Amino acid sequence: MRVSRLTLVTLRDVPADAEIPSHQLLIRGGYIRRVGSGIYAYLPLMWRVLRKISAIVRDELDALGALETLLPQLQPAELWERSGRWQGYTAGEGIMFHLEDRQERRLGLGPTHEEVITELAGDLLRSYRQLPVTLYQIQTKFRDEIRPRFGLMRGREFIMKDAYSFHADETDLQETYAAMAGAYQRIFERCGLDAVGVDADSGAIGGAASQEFMVTADAGEDLILTSSDGSYAANQEKAVSIPPPAEALPAGDERTLKTPGQTTIEQLCSAHEFSPTQIIKVLVLVARLEDGREQPVLVSLRGDQELNEVKLTNTLTRLLESTVLDVAPATPDQVRQQGLAPLAFGSLGPDLDDAALRGARRWEGRFERLADPTALEVERFVCGSNVSDQHRWGASWSSMPKQHSADVRNARSGDRCVHNAEATLGERRGIEVGHIFQLGRKYSDALDARFTNKDGKQESLLMGCYGIGISRLAQAAVEQHHDDAGICWPVAIAPFQVIVVVANLKDSTQLELGESLYQQLKSAGLDALLDDRGERAGVKFKDADLIGIPWRIVVGRDAAEGRVELVERATRASETLPHEEALKRLIDTIPAGIQI
């Protein structure tokens, strides 16, 4: 390919709406262009990257015996209603784009395809003799993101590989799950990425077990916690740990403290020389449920700990036997809107009476009370007295209403590990690029996808689900591989492996040698790009650095002696050598890739 035919338009200035390096570089390098909020066009360079990533993914999944298919993007609401997910995905802040056709039939643009694939499996897979089966697709998906940001990281339209496996028994599901985890590690290694598999929350997809694959990067939206002994890694949403022990209160009888204006842990500790571990903080939240209820929740945490909303959501879903759509802190305005008397925010205790909810317009009439185990382990503590500007010193759980004990706190760096108390947790940021799930029978039960087992009896199919964000992975690669001059693509997924830059097109010797090298590189099976533009050499060098082609051959003033400069983009190492030797080195160095 010649740059003059590539429609390459690079930018020198950083786009105002691009917040992180990878987003900035992909726009500046002519890889993507914004069409609307969270909507991007993949330009020719980017499309080559995406095709190479897709080819690697296909190669690994085909090797597992998975079968590629293509499922519809438009999905009938009926399937999602049968699985129980339509309301959660479309109401309020739900992420599914949905519409009605001219016959007033409701449809959704698929953010995921569990319902469709399960319906098909129930129709096609009738006997244990047909199992196991794994089907996959590489497909455009849609999410109605509230705040699209970071380019392809959190867009409203994206490319994803999703695979679904069907099984007759648990052992077979676990074997496929493990095989898929191995394939994912190979995919990310082949793409040149440093990725780590971590325990993860199953979220809206559901299932008994799940694992995320994170590309480590400073701009990552997720916090990964890893153990110092190398045997544990988890997303903070799921991570467990042992925090430092609490500091005991001195001996003394329970008493009331005047605490004017002291509504935060920091203010209480500063005024009274408390340790945060001696304080129990109480949060009032409201859970909005799929069945329409609005449930007030009281959560008690040790003063030095932070609430984990994902753990809280999962706990409430189990306790209340209804899917929790969201959980948010109650505000004074919301209390007034419910027609209730003001609550003493900043001075609340675990024994806030249910009578405070009497007469609420929409809220349920009692609190769901939860306490984190680290809070329950504190025998005597400081807490609010449910009266403004007043706390209690020396309170104990024996005088409090019954609390559901549930891990609802964030594990964090420095905590000790549950599996090995001698090991501690450290933290890194990561970008999620893959997620695998053991779904069990969640969808097959809901959609009546059944098969005949060895005993001639009907039972629901066991399922696994396996996703990779293709377009997100491409941007994650840039986030992990860039420098101050531009992108440094890993060779396997770079749009081109080598760029030949002719410094001066008016010099016939340089032009002829550049053309000759370009043709020989192509003949050797390498993806080569020739910069044949009539621009100054400095402009070409800057563009080559910006777009991040792994290797560069510069044909300049030494062309008359048959010598060229060979530059490795990632290290910026350069060497001047005979052009035959440069050609041989590239052919020997660059591994054979999948042709696109």
Side-chain angles (χ1 to χ4, degrees):
M1 176 64 69
R2 298 171 185 273
V3 175
S4 61
R5 300 293 182 89
L6 194 56
T7 320
L8 178 65
V9 178
T10 59
L11 305 176
R12 294 291 166 240
D13 296 327
V14 174
D17 63 340
E19 300 175 55
I20 60 176
S22 56
H23 186 193
Q24 296 166 0
L25 292 171
L26 286 175
I27 292 178
R28 289 185 53 218
Y31 283 86
I32 61 174
R33 278 293 186 274
R34 183 180 181 275
V35 176
S37 175
I39 305 170
Y40 288 84
Y42 308 121
L43 301 180
L45 281 176
M46 192 62 177
W47 189 239
R48 290 184 66 88
V49 173
L50 296 173
R51 287 170 63 198
K52 289 190 174 184
I53 294 171
S54 297
I56 291 171
V57 169
R58 284 190 172 98
D59 191 52
E60 289 292 343
L61 290 192
D62 291 350
L64 293 182
L67 305 170
E68 186 169 7
T69 184
L70 189 63
L71 302 173
Q73 294 171 325
L74 273 177
Q75 303 182 26
E78 177 197 357
L79 291 178
W80 286 71
E81 287 171 337
R82 286 169 60 194
S83 72
R85 296 205 297 173
W86 178 259
Q87 181 72 10
Y89 267 74
T90 60
E93 296 182 354
I95 62 168
M96 181 188 278
F97 288 103
H98 53 286
L99 63 147
E100 285 189 357
D101 67 13
R102 65 188 66 213
Q103 278 81 41
E104 298 185 351
R105 292 172 296 209
R106 291 175 301 158
L107 302 160
L109 278 175
T112 185
H113 278 75
E114 283 78 17
E115 282 78 3
V116 170
I117 199 72
T118 305
E119 177 77 358
L120 290 171
D123 184 43
L124 298 172
L125 305 176
R126 299 297 183 88
S127 169
Y128 73 93
R129 293 186 179 89
Q130 296 172 274
L131 304 173
V133 171
T134 300
L135 301 171
Y136 78 94
Q137 65 169 344
I138 296 176
Q139 169 73 283
T140 298
K141 308 271 187 156
F142 304 89
R143 285 175 62 98
D144 190 6
E145 290 283 357
I146 298 172
R147 289 174 293 276
R149 60 190 307 210
F150 301 154
L152 307 183
M153 293 291 192
R154 189 167 290 280
R156 306 173 83 192
E157 178 179 320
F158 53 96
I159 299 174
M160 184 174 173
K161 185 282 301 176
D162 50 329
Y164 304 91
S165 62
F166 300 90
H167 310 270
D169 59 66
E170 289 281 356
T171 300
D172 194 51
L173 168 58
Q174 290 166 11
E175 288 175 355
T176 297
Y177 183 84
M180 196 67 74
Y184 272 41
Q185 290 290 3
R186 292 191 296 275
I187 288 167
F188 300 132
E189 287 171 9
R190 289 178 62 179
C191 289
L193 299 178
D194 178 15
V196 58
V198 303
D199 290 347
D201 178 68
S202 295
I205 301 297
S210 76
Q211 186 178 23
E212 286 175 333
F213 293 84
M214 298 282 191
V215 168
T216 55
D218 291 341
E221 291 187 282
D222 291 282
L223 188 66
I224 308 167
L225 294 168
T226 57
S227 63
S228 56
D229 64 3
S231 61
Y232 178 75
N235 190 312
Q236 191 182 45
E237 292 178 345
K238 183 73 178 286
V240 294
S241 68
I242 303 170
E247 185 177 328
L249 280 179
D253 295 333
E254 180 176 342
R255 63 179 185 269
T256 299
L257 288 177
K258 296 296 184 182
T259 54
Q262 298 163 25
T263 58
T264 69
I265 300 296
E266 293 75 13
Q267 289 168 341
L268 278 173
C269 290
S270 175
H272 304 278
E273 298 184 349
F274 295 145
S275 162
T277 65
Q278 297 171 324
I279 301 172
I280 299 301
K281 61 183 176 184
V282 176
L283 309 177
V284 182
L285 305 104
V286 179
R288 190 168 59 90
L289 307 182
E290 191 174 44
D291 62 14
R293 286 181 289 161
E294 294 183 9
Q295 175 64 57
V297 182
L298 278 186
V299 178
S300 296
L301 294 170
R302 205 172 78 180
D304 62 327
Q305 301 300 308
E306 297 173 350
L307 179 67
N308 183 311
E309 292 186 9
V310 172
K311 290 181 181 179
L312 176 62
T313 297
N314 292 338
T315 298
L316 290 172
T317 294
R318 290 192 297 271
L319 289 175
L320 302 174
E321 298 181 344
S322 178
T323 299
V324 174
L325 301 179
D326 57 58
V327 182
T331 65
D333 283 346
Q334 289 175 327
V335 172
R336 281 194 295 273
Q337 290 166 10
Q338 293 295 318
L340 302 176
L343 299 179
F345 287 104
S347 299
L348 295 175
D351 57 347
L352 179 62
D353 200 302
D354 288 340
L357 298 174
R358 192 170 297 144
R361 295 191 174 109
R362 288 186 54 83
W363 292 354
E364 296 294 300
R366 66 171 185 84
F367 289 110
E368 192 69 33
R369 300 173 191 269
L370 287 84
D372 188 81
T374 56
L376 293 174
E377 289 165 4
V378 182
E379 294 183 2
R380 296 170 58 252
F381 48 82
V382 176
C383 69
S385 65
N386 302 312
V387 176
S388 294
D389 298 331
Q390 188 171 295
H391 284 72
R392 282 170 290 181
W393 184 97
S396 66
W397 291 108
S398 62
S399 61
M400 300 295 170
K402 181 177 174 55
Q403 311 281 321
H404 289 288
S405 176
D407 173 15
V408 291
R409 54 172 280 276
N410 277 331
R412 56 193 181 193
S413 181
D415 288 354
R416 289 181 295 132
C417 297
V418 172
H419 73 279
N420 175 10
E422 299 300 315
T424 57
L425 292 177
E427 64 181 44
R428 289 186 286 174
R429 300 216 69 84
I431 301 166
E432 181 190 346
V433 291
H435 205 155
I436 62 177
F437 306 81
Q438 292 184 39
L439 296 177
R441 294 185 171 92
K442 173 179 177 177
Y443 295 95
S444 54
D445 278 345
L447 294 160
D448 199 29
R450 301 170 69 79
F451 72 102
T452 303
N453 64 20
K454 289 181 180 180
D455 299 323
K457 297 179 179 179
Q458 289 281 297
E459 63 176 285
S460 298
L461 290 160
L462 283 162
M463 292 178 59
C465 171
Y466 319 91
I468 289 180
I470 303 293
S471 49
R472 173 180 268 239
L473 191 155
Q475 186 170 331
V478 177
E479 197 61 47
Q480 197 172 74
H481 296 282
H482 71 272
D483 60 20
D484 57 354
I487 301 168
C488 305
W489 286 112
V491 174
I493 61 173
F496 296 94
Q497 297 165 321
V498 186
I499 182 169
V500 179
V501 178
V502 179
N504 183 4
L505 287 182
K506 295 179 181 179
D507 185 319
S508 60
T509 302
Q510 292 184 29
L511 182 58
E512 289 174 10
L513 181 55
E515 286 279 0
S516 174
L517 286 168
Y518 170 61
Q519 295 299 336
Q520 290 179 75
L521 288 165
K522 290 205 303 177
S523 297
L526 300 184
D527 275 338
L529 182 64
L530 174 65
D531 194 341
D532 59 343
R533 298 175 297 170
E535 298 281 358
R536 291 178 289 107
V539 172
K540 295 181 181 182
F541 296 155
K542 283 185 178 294
D543 279 348
D545 281 341
L546 177 59
I547 66 176
I549 308 305
W551 291 93
R552 179 165 80 228
I553 296 178
V554 180
V555 183
R557 286 174 293 186
D558 292 331
E561 288 79 42
R563 295 172 67 81
V564 297
E565 183 185 17
L566 182 62
V567 182
E568 184 178 15
R569 175 67 186 88
T571 64
R572 299 196 183 184
S574 66
E575 183 180 357
T576 300
L577 67 172
H579 69 85
E580 301 93 345
E581 187 177 334
L583 184 63
K584 183 178 185 306
R585 187 175 298 180
L586 287 174
I587 293 171
D588 292 343
T589 300
I590 298 176
I594 297 175
Q595 295 300 309
I596 60 171

